Amino acid sequence: MSAPLLRVGGLSTWLDSGEAVVRALDDVGFEVGRGETFAIVGESGSGKSMTALSLLRLVPETGRIVAGSVDLDGVELLSLPEAAMRTVRGRRVSIIFQEPATSLNPVLTVGQQIGEVLARHRGLRGDASRTRAAELLHSVGIPDAERRLDDYPFQFSGGMKQRAMIAMAIAGEPDLLIADEPTTALDVTIQAQVLELLRTLQAERGMSMLLITHDLGIVAQMAHRVGVMYAGALVEIADRDAFFHAPQHPYSRKLFAALPDRTKRGGALAAIPGQVPPLTAPFPGCRFVDRCDMAAARCAKRVRDGRTPGALRCVGDGRKRVERRLAPAPRGAGPARALPDPQGRAQAGGRPRQGR
Amino acid sequence: MTAYIVRRLLYALPILVGVNLITFALFFVVNTPDDMARMQLGAKRVTPEAIEKWKAERGYDRPLLWNGSAAGAGKLTDTIFFQKSVRLFAFDFGNADDGRNIRHEIVSRMVPSLALAIPVFLIGIAVNVTFAMLMAFFRATYIDFWGVVLAVSMMSISTLFYIIGGQYLVSKVWSLVPISGYQPGLDSARFVLLPVLIGVVSGIGGGARWYRTVFLEEMGRDYVRTARAKGLAETAVLFRHVLKNAMIPILTGAVVVIPLLFMGSLLAESFFGIPGLGSYTIDAIQAQDFAVVRSMVFLGSFLYIVGLVLTDISYTLVDPRVRFE
């Protein structure tokens, strides 16, 4: 395999919140290969979106990236001057945000907002820009694209706004598309359409995609590889199939245990006891130790196994027990549990479809 | 659009009627014509005959609402309410105590008022927006911090201080422009220069601080992050994205005062001796010329209502999300 497109290592981002410093990202590292979809899953506040914003150096004003490396195709983004960084944003790396309703400028037409990217990164102006913008809107499935260019975002429905956002994001023909919970604000049928659109566009253009979500169903459907975030750190990185068959970290396992399915109907869902620890102090050991029922004494001191950069692997009894329990299950028999699927299709095995 | 404006103006009519009724109550019921006469003639040794004579000269000798002794429609029209209040709707303000026609005075005094008020308004917005954008661009730096400190200090200083200080420094010490007075035509520029300067300066503190808040609020919005994520430079983000959105509250907030520009400035006009409507009002209050004060109160409320209608219309012009419905 050739060198990955994006290589993130040791990324730490802190937020100043009054007195205390919140370590929103702590030593995060992962890679995204060319044409690959890497999904980051995690609960709210685990640092998923902060990872995305840190890659683009768009962290909020209270935040700063204190350490780490973001290597995009051999270029270190964190040491680029701001002017050079602006040629990366929108051109080599673009992003789709969670709320299409507020992420589009309400007083500029959709055409103007797409045209801005075309002018900035493609040197297109006037008629050429307009024609290209219409093509882009058409390619994200908006009918009558030529006419809708002059519409304002409020004249678009929620799903169409997100399609317009996607058109804007791909206008610069980026190598990496970051999709930060692209379907969270949309209803389920629109979710499926938008995900399908993203997958098609990615295959057509050979883009890499960093998909951020809290929905394991979307991960199963879209991702090649998965990273699980907890309390500002990646606790597990795995291939999608391996992850769904045998999650390594006790936190990942508990996530699956908390999923509703048919066999649990009528009963109480498994919840993880306790709360996410405060991120104001550094963690000497595993950050999940207080809530883990498999924790060993060494968990409080040591976390790394050194095999996967950036991911804090479990060193407690948890990993062994998980493996022992899952070992007898024959491969190919499908996942042990039904996963929620936005499109209602079966989730058994297989890489996500490529091309069409 | 015409239909919308007409309808909006019709909605304004009841408000105007209410204003008229309240003005009537304040000027003729709370403060009766007898009180007015006594105040004008002096409290000492005033005879009932003198009061009656004063009232008859000015038409205040009629009954308030219902004239039983008049014939036909006169029962309603030959009253103080009809003669003094209802006629305001036709902008028939009657005569002042010195016998001059109030409407004629208002029309001729509007020009000096506007010569002062319009430059203050336009230059003021431009200066405040520029200052506010500067602070917003350099937010959370020393420029922003000292900008806010400056704005707050300028806000805390009384307008009177700016007027008197400006007159002393610019006119007396440096002898650049006349200290006060007015002449019509092009010559007016010489007299209006200093009042305009002082009007703008005294407005910077409050205006720039408010606009800075509007800019910063807009800069925290999601679409600004999207614009930055497109690779746009910070100036493009500020001028193209933020300014356009921030101008919605700024413009619509400014539009409401446009009609009131006709009323002139009470303080500046009196201090600079500009014969506008502001000094007219102040003089009338000092001379207790109730006819003029009443007219100006009515005119002021009328213009304020026009301002509100204009605000609604301006929303539909600057914000694509608002349409006439």
Side-chain angles (χ1 to χ4, degrees):
Chain A
M1 190 180 157
S2 59
L5 175 74
L6 179 76
R7 196 180 273 149
V8 179
L11 188 63
S12 298
T13 300
W14 291 1
L15 297 173
D16 290 312
S17 72
E19 313 268 300
V21 170
V22 176
R23 294 153 196 263
L25 292 186
D26 190 5
D27 199 14
V28 169
F30 59 91
E31 290 173 352
V32 183
R34 287 163 209 280
E36 183 189 56
T37 298
F38 181 70
I40 295 183
V41 279
E43 54 195 286
S44 301
S46 59
K48 310 184 298 285
S49 293
M50 199 51 69
T51 306
L53 293 175
S54 298
L55 296 187
L56 286 166
R57 284 172 41 190
L58 286 175
V59 292
E61 271 166 30
T62 52
R64 63 207 146 96
I65 300 169
V66 292
S69 146
V70 177
D71 181 310
L72 180 77
D73 216 359
V75 179
E76 174 55 53
L77 297 188
L78 293 188
S79 59
L80 277 186
E82 181 61 21
M85 191 61 208
R86 285 199 292 265
T87 65
V88 172
R89 293 184 197 127
R91 168 67 190 84
R92 305 216 55 201
V93 182
S94 43
I95 183 164
I96 306 165
F97 292 106
Q98 175 176 352
E99 274 291 345
T102 57
S103 296
L104 290 165
N105 190 326
V107 300
L108 296 177
T109 64
V110 171
Q112 284 171 325
Q113 299 190 51
I114 299 175
E116 235 173 14
V117 185
L118 295 173
R120 173 80 180 85
H121 297 300
R122 294 272 137 206
L124 293 177
R125 277 165 220 285
D127 285 346
S129 161
R130 205 181 153 78
T131 313
R132 180 77 189 116
E135 280 170 25
L136 285 164
L137 265 197
H138 181 75
S139 72
V140 295
I142 290 181
D144 203 4
E146 175 69 29
R147 196 177 56 77
R148 309 258 12 201
L149 283 178
D150 297 321
D151 279 355
Y152 289 93
F154 76 95
Q155 287 161 302
F156 277 35
S157 67
M160 279 166 67
K161 278 186 199 127
Q162 194 60 299
R163 284 170 191 269
M165 272 299 289
I166 295 173
M168 252 166 56
I170 60 173
E173 294 172 25
D175 305 317
L176 173 68
L177 179 66
I178 303 174
D180 185 359
E181 307 219 23
T183 58
T184 306
L186 305 175
D187 68 55
V188 176
T189 48
I190 306 297
Q191 270 188 19
Q193 292 170 11
V194 168
L195 291 175
E196 189 60 40
L197 172 68
L198 283 175
R199 194 155 52 190
T200 313
L201 289 171
Q202 184 197 14
E204 280 171 6
R205 289 156 188 268
M207 281 185 305
S208 304
M209 187 150 78
L210 176 63
L211 177 69
I212 290 168
T213 180
H214 59 246
D215 186 335
L216 288 171
I218 292 177
V219 175
Q221 195 185 337
M222 303 280 291
H224 299 118
R225 287 191 308 122
V226 187
V228 180
M229 276 198 102
Y230 177 76
L234 275 169
V235 293
E236 174 166 1
I237 294 176
D239 281 353
R240 182 195 61 165
D241 291 351
F243 176 69
F244 281 102
H245 279 103
Q248 295 293 300
H249 199 278
Y251 174 65
S252 314
R253 277 195 57 242
K254 284 188 175 290
L255 283 186
F256 281 105
L259 284 177
D261 71 20
R262 267 180 223 106
T263 59
K264 296 181 199 160
R265 184 162 288 175
L269 288 173
I272 306 179
Q275 282 181 330
V276 180
L279 304 182
T280 44
F283 293 93
C286 178
R287 55 200 66 214
F288 190 61
V289 66
D290 292 339
R291 308 171 74 184
C292 184
D293 49 15
M294 298 172 177
R298 58 188 163 164
C299 288
K301 287 180 297 210
R302 201 166 68 86
V303 283
R304 209 170 276 287
D305 74 348
R307 278 186 306 177
T308 315
L312 309 174
R313 283 297 185 76
C314 177
V315 295
D317 294 342
R319 206 172 100 221
K320 266 180 243 150
R321 263 196 252 166
V322 172
E323 277 162 2
R324 205 180 310 125
R325 193 175 61 82
L326 288 165
R331 277 201 83 98
R337 52 191 77 76
L339 293 167
D341 177 358
Q343 288 180 321
R345 283 197 302 261
Q347 285 300 311
R351 310 281 285 183
R353 282 163 296 159
Q354 289 269 335
R356 49 185 54 236
Chain B
M1 173 142 172
T2 323
Y4 172 82
I5 296 172
V6 168
R7 204 170 62 233
R8 258 332 247 104
L9 285 173
L10 285 178
Y11 288 151
L13 217 55
I15 306 176
L16 210 54
V17 171
V19 167
N20 193 297
L21 288 177
I22 291 171
T23 321
F24 172 77
L26 284 176
F27 278 85
F28 295 108
V29 181
V30 177
N31 183 36
T32 63
D34 283 5
D35 298 333
M36 277 192 264
R38 254 181 235 114
M39 263 185 262
Q40 277 286 310
L41 298 170
K44 284 183 210 159
R45 266 180 258 152
V46 60
T47 59
E49 291 75 31
I51 289 178
E52 286 308 318
K53 182 165 166 289
W54 187 90
K55 279 160 65 183
E57 277 168 2
R58 290 163 179 78
Y60 293 141
D61 54 346
R62 299 184 180 91
L64 274 183
L65 290 166
W66 181 256
N67 191 345
S69 61
K75 282 187 196 299
L76 270 181
T77 58
D78 202 12
T79 58
I80 289 182
F81 178 65
F82 189 86
Q83 295 295 332
K84 301 291 176 190
S85 280
V86 178
R87 275 169 179 242
L88 292 178
F89 284 115
F91 298 106
D92 178 0
F93 299 122
N95 290 341
D97 280 348
D98 58 8
R100 291 200 217 173
N101 184 276
I102 297 178
R103 183 156 101 181
H104 183 260
E105 281 289 297
I106 289 176
V107 170
S108 66
R109 281 169 172 269
M110 245 174 206
V111 180
S113 274
L114 289 178
L116 174 57
I118 289 179
V120 170
F121 175 73
L122 294 179
I123 300 174
I125 287 189
V127 169
N128 291 352
V129 166
T130 312
F131 187 26
M133 279 187 70
L134 199 75
M135 287 192 281
F137 187 80
F138 291 106
R139 67 198 167 282
T141 66
Y142 279 107
I143 296 179
D144 180 29
F145 176 78
W146 288 109
V148 174
V149 169
L150 182 67
V152 172
S153 353
M154 290 180 78
M155 236 169 94
S156 320
I157 297 172
S158 153
T159 317
L160 285 174
F161 180 84
Y162 290 112
I163 293 176
I164 297 168
Q167 280 178 327
Y168 177 79
L169 207 64
V170 180
S171 301
K172 187 149 185 264
V173 179
W174 296 338
S175 305
L176 293 177
V177 291
I179 219 163
S180 74
Y182 185 78
Q183 268 177 351
L186 280 179
D187 218 19
S188 62
R190 222 155 46 86
F191 292 95
V192 159
L193 202 68
L194 182 61
V196 166
L197 182 75
I198 285 168
V200 170
V201 167
S202 61
I204 287 179
R209 219 178 63 97
W210 176 41
Y211 293 167
R212 173 183 171 274
T213 320
V214 173
F215 281 124
L216 287 185
E217 192 182 320
E218 286 299 325
M219 287 176 101
R221 299 214 188 268
D222 286 353
Y223 69 81
V224 176
R225 192 178 57 185
T226 310
R228 293 201 182 111
K230 284 176 177 177
L232 298 181
E234 195 61 20
T235 45
V237 172
L238 201 61
F239 280 98
R240 205 176 144 80
H241 289 266
V242 175
L243 185 60
K244 211 165 171 195
N245 279 281
M247 281 322 264
I248 295 175
I250 290 176
L251 274 186
T252 48
V255 161
V256 73
V257 305
I258 288 178
L260 292 175
L261 297 180
F262 287 94
M263 299 291 290
S265 153
L266 294 178
L267 273 180
E269 285 181 14
S270 338
F271 271 83
F272 287 99
I274 291 168
L277 288 176
S279 55
Y280 190 48
T281 313
I282 290 276
D283 291 348
I285 292 172
Q286 275 166 354
Q288 302 192 339
D289 189 334
F290 292 99
V292 175
V293 177
R294 199 170 57 237
S295 308
M296 297 309 287
V297 168
F298 182 77
L299 188 66
S301 2
F302 171 77
L303 290 173
Y304 187 68
I305 291 167
V306 172
L308 292 178
V309 176
L310 285 180
T311 305
D312 283 357
I313 294 169
S314 70
Y315 266 117
T316 63
L317 296 180
V318 292
D319 190 341
R321 286 164 293 184
V322 183
R323 293 273 175 244
F324 303 110
E325 209 30 76

